[in-house]
Amino acid sequence: MNKSKRPFTKSKRSFRRRLPPIQSGDRIDYRNMSLVSRFISEQGKILSRRVNRVTLKQQRLITIAIKQARILSLLPFLNNQKQFER
């Protein structure tokens, strides 16, 4: 079989790089609710670093900010709204 004939060729799709979720000017702080609430699931859980696409240092700062916001009752610890809708 000839090497020049490849039965499986990769399609040449254009790849658009995703923008980072946290810009360099954004400050990760418990008071910045618009930023912090992006990294929480619908159940109120902190999303993983893989899902967030952030660096390890940013993930640590996000986690601390979320926990501080929960203690100051700016964010709920749990979000069980679906149980009460029935």
Side-chain angles (χ1 to χ4, degrees), residues 2 11 18 21 23 38 47-48 51 63 66 70 78 80-81 83 85:
N2 288 344
S11 64
R18 273 187 160 185
Q23 271 66 37
R38 275 192 265 162
L47 293 173
S48 70
V51 176
T63 304
I66 290 170
R70 284 175 175 169
L78 300 174
N80 293 334
Q81 296 261 327
Q83 290 179 353
E85 287 176 3

Side-chain angles (χ1 to χ4, degrees), residues 24-44:
S24 59
D26 287 342
R27 235 178 100 69
I28 303 170
D29 196 20
Y30 69 93
R31 289 172 284 182
N32 192 352
M33 293 309 299
S34 60
L35 178 75
V36 169
S37 59
R38 275 192 265 162
F39 302 106
I40 297 177
S41 69
E42 287 186 19
Q43 290 84 29

